[in-house]
């Protein structure tokens, strides 16, 4: 019998992109409430609680500024508020997103130096101290590090970057992009001596896209006073004069209804349990890929087990196979949305996001669809990926 594939999708969309991510029903309900005056007492009370709650997630007692913008807005705020034209930033290469942050810096007239790295192994932070010590005139004003490179599925040990700065006695600010790590695995702004961190709403916080923020240390705020970079909408000094200590324009009220619920969900589960769940699901995906990799099948893009990301796995398609073909089959046959390869990894890599509101059957459904798609596409692989994932999940303890 001919198999007719309908284009009308029934059942849930299995959304396995590494951002935006699934939005829990209770957050959808929260953001759908009627709007209110952002200066009203009831809103301000909730807003202040959101500010405190986000500080608990960032693990900081210092400052937070919010922006009505996607992560790029917070990236730009991080640069224009503490640097001046002609200043130098040292960016630790991780992949597509570290390059993007660097391109933005260059466009703003900042000099970019790159601490080069192999995208599959990750930067060798043991060599960073020497690079910083060689900068005897302290021309480097900031070191930028992407905590989780969403394009490659590699994480970066931010505490080791801080240790290198301290060992070199270098005064540069430490800036960290936590866009695809926050709420997925541990980030500790104050304990790790991060001066500016950048985060966004649409990944581990499980919110719609459109709000981003920066955590800012007292040291960074002092440096901000000396920055001559032109700025207006993103200017922290102007923001500090506003009641909300953020937002030059209208406050995105609905996103704060959502953030209040997101913080409630994260704290109800307990941050450590949230991280353990992400680790469990990440391990299951990695077990599946290792099983598929037999017979010259797809491989984990990350070749350094110490750097595995618990929020996203990038998977290298077998030689001569187009990863986008597999993604198309997953989408059209099974209503499963996967992330694609970014920049030079386009067509070579597909990505499974395992961040945010996700559980075991959801990840197994995605893995089963990928395993079927490997067969349908005729890509070389070994069977047993889903079995390996199930075995890993069944063996892991749940807190
Ligand atoms: N940094 C990282 C690590 C990201 O993953 C992204 C987006 O996925 C960005 C920055 C840019 O954020 P946005 O797309 O929200 O502007």
């Amino acid at each position: 019998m001919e198999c007719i594939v309908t284009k009308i999708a029934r059942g849930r969309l299995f959304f396995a992109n590494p951002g935006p991510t699934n939005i829990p029903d209770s957050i959808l309900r929260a953001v759908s409430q009627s709007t209110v005056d952002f200066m009203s007492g009831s809103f301000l009370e909730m807003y202040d609680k959101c500010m405190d709650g986000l500080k608990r997630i960032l693990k900081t007692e210092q400052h937070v500024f919010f922006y009505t913008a996607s992560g790029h807005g917070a990236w730009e705020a991080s640069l224009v508020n503490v640097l001046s034209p002609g200043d130098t930033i040292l960016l630790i290469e991780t992949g597509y997103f570290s390059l993007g942050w660097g391109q933005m810096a260059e466009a703003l007239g900042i000099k970019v130096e790159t601490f080069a790295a192999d995208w599959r192994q990750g930067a060798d932070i043991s060599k960073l101290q020497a690079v910083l010590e060689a900068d005897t005139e302290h021309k480097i004003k900031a070191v930028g590090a992407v905590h989780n490179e969403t394009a490659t599925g590699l994480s970066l040990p931010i505490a080791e970057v801080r240790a290198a700065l301290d060992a070199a006695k270098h005064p540069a600010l430490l800036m960290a992009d936590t866009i695809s790590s926050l709420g997925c695995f541990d980030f500790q702004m104050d304990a790790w001596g991060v001066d500016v961190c950048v985060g966004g709403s649409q990944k581990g916080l499980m919110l719609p896209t459109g709000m981003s923020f920066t955590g800012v240390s007292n040291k960074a705020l002092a440096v901000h006073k000396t920055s001559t970079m032109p700025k207006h909408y993103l200017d922290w000094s102007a923001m500090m004069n506003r009641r909300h200590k953020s937002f030059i324009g209208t406050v995105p009220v609905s996103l704060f209804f959502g953030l209040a619920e997101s913080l409630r969900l994260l704290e109800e589960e307990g941050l450590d349990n949230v991280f353990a769940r992400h680790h469990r699901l990440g391990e299951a995906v990695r077990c599946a890929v290792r099983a598929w990799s037999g017979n010259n099948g797809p491989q984990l893009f990350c070749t350094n087990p110490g750097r595995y990301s618990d929020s996203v796995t990038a998977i290298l398609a077998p030689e001569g196979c187009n990863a986008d073909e597999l993604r198309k089959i997953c989408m059209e046959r099974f209503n499963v949305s996967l992330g694609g390869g970014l920049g030079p990894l386009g067509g070579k890599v597909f990505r499974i996001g395992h961040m945010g509101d996700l559980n075991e059957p959801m990840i197994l459904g995605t893995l089963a669809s990928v395993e079927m798609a490997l067969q349908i596409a005729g890509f070389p692989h070994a069977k047993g990926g889903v079995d390996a994932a199930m075995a890993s999940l069944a063996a892991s303890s749940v807190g």
Side-chain angles (χ1 to χ4, degrees):
M1 205 211 305
E2 194 193 354
C3 171
I4 299 168
V5 179
T6 171
K7 293 277 177 195
I8 299 172
R10 294 284 182 239
R12 281 240 167 198
L13 165 68
F14 269 60
F15 198 68
N17 286 50
T21 61
N22 296 294
I23 304 176
D25 291 346
S26 66
I27 292 186
L28 286 174
R29 282 195 294 277
V31 296
S32 72
Q33 289 171 69
S34 304
T35 198
V36 295
D37 182 342
F38 58 82
M39 291 303 286
S40 66
S42 60
F43 180 76
L44 288 171
E45 196 182 319
M46 188 198 65
Y47 179 87
D48 291 344
K49 282 190 184 149
C50 283
M51 180 70 96
D52 291 345
L54 188 63
K55 285 185 183 177
R56 288 194 296 276
I57 306 294
L58 289 166
K59 300 191 176 169
T60 184
E61 293 182 353
Q62 302 182 76
H63 314 271
V64 167
F65 296 99
F66 288 104
Y67 318 95
T68 310
S70 76
H72 275 76
W75 257 2
E76 187 153 339
S78 72
L79 298 169
V80 299
N81 275 290
V82 294
L83 298 173
S84 299
D87 277 356
T88 299
I89 184 170
L90 177 68
L91 274 172
I92 300 177
E93 184 177 1
T94 51
Y96 182 80
F97 287 105
S98 69
L99 296 182
W101 205 5
Q103 281 159 4
M104 180 184 270
E106 268 168 7
L108 292 165
I110 297 161
K111 289 188 193 131
V112 176
E113 280 182 18
T114 303
F115 183 73
D118 179 290
W119 286 18
R120 296 190 70 181
Q121 268 291 304
D124 182 356
I125 302 300
S126 69
K127 301 212 164 84
L128 183 60
Q129 183 183 338
V131 171
L132 293 167
E133 278 168 351
D135 177 35
T136 48
E137 291 175 36
H138 294 163
K139 285 195 173 144
I140 297 169
K141 300 295 178 206
V143 174
V146 176
H147 190 204
N148 185 67
E149 175 54 72
T150 324
T152 60
L154 265 80
S155 62
L156 191 70
I158 301 290
E160 289 177 25
V161 179
R162 164 47 66 200
L165 275 157
D166 289 349
K169 296 192 174 49
H170 199 293
L173 297 174
L174 173 55
M175 314 224 288
D177 172 333
T178 71
I179 288 184
S180 61
S181 60
L182 196 70
C184 304
F185 53 92
D186 199 21
F187 175 75
Q188 304 184 24
M189 176 171 157
D190 289 357
W192 297 348
V194 174
D195 293 298
V196 183
C197 69
V198 175
S201 56
Q202 77 275 23
K203 301 199 196 250
L205 295 183
M206 309 168 284
L207 291 166
T209 311
M211 186 166 67
S212 51
F213 46 86
T214 45
V216 177
S217 73
N218 295 323
K219 177 178 167 186
L221 214 49
V223 172
H224 160 73
K225 303 283 179 213
T226 66
S227 154
T228 59
M229 190 74 79
K231 51 192 162 283
H232 183 85
Y233 183 62
L234 301 172
D235 188 347
W236 295 341
S237 291
M239 288 184 185
M240 274 185 300
N241 293 328
R242 317 281 289 198
R243 164 61 181 82
H244 299 84
K245 306 265 181 242
S246 287
F247 302 115
I248 301 305
T250 304
V251 177
V253 167
S254 305
L255 282 163
F256 279 93
F257 288 147
L259 179 57
E261 177 59 12
S262 155
L263 294 167
R264 192 193 70 73
L265 291 174
L266 289 170
E267 295 192 323
E268 177 187 59
E269 187 176 354
L271 217 41
D272 289 342
N273 292 329
V274 171
F275 299 157
R277 175 168 54 81
H278 280 79
H279 180 67
R280 225 165 41 238
L281 299 179
E283 267 302 299
V285 172
R286 294 188 283 271
C287 286
V289 181
R290 273 191 215 102
W292 294 330
S293 70
N295 300 332
N296 299 317
Q299 309 273 335
L300 288 171
F301 185 80
C302 176
T303 52
N304 182 347
R307 297 284 172 87
Y308 285 149
S309 160
D310 279 338
S311 60
V312 54
T313 299
I315 301 153
L316 194 59
E319 192 66 32
C321 298
N322 187 342
D324 290 338
E325 195 187 325
L326 183 118
R327 290 175 60 226
K328 192 163 182 280
I329 294 169
C330 281
M331 190 67 238
E332 293 184 353
R333 284 278 296 258
F334 307 122
N335 206 17
V336 170
S337 178
L338 303 173
L342 296 174
L345 302 181
K348 299 193 169 87
V349 151
F350 62 97
R351 293 174 301 147
I352 298 179
H354 31 89
M355 61 175 92
D357 188 38
L358 209 65
N359 64 14
E360 281 81 350
M362 291 161 87
I363 207 72
L364 287 172
T366 297
L367 294 172
S369 304
V370 171
E371 193 159 327
M372 288 187 282
L374 286 168
Q375 183 179 330
I376 295 165
F379 286 10
H381 67 287
K383 300 237 165 281
V386 178
D387 282 346
M390 287 197 297
S392 162
L393 290 170
S396 27
S397 56
V398 178

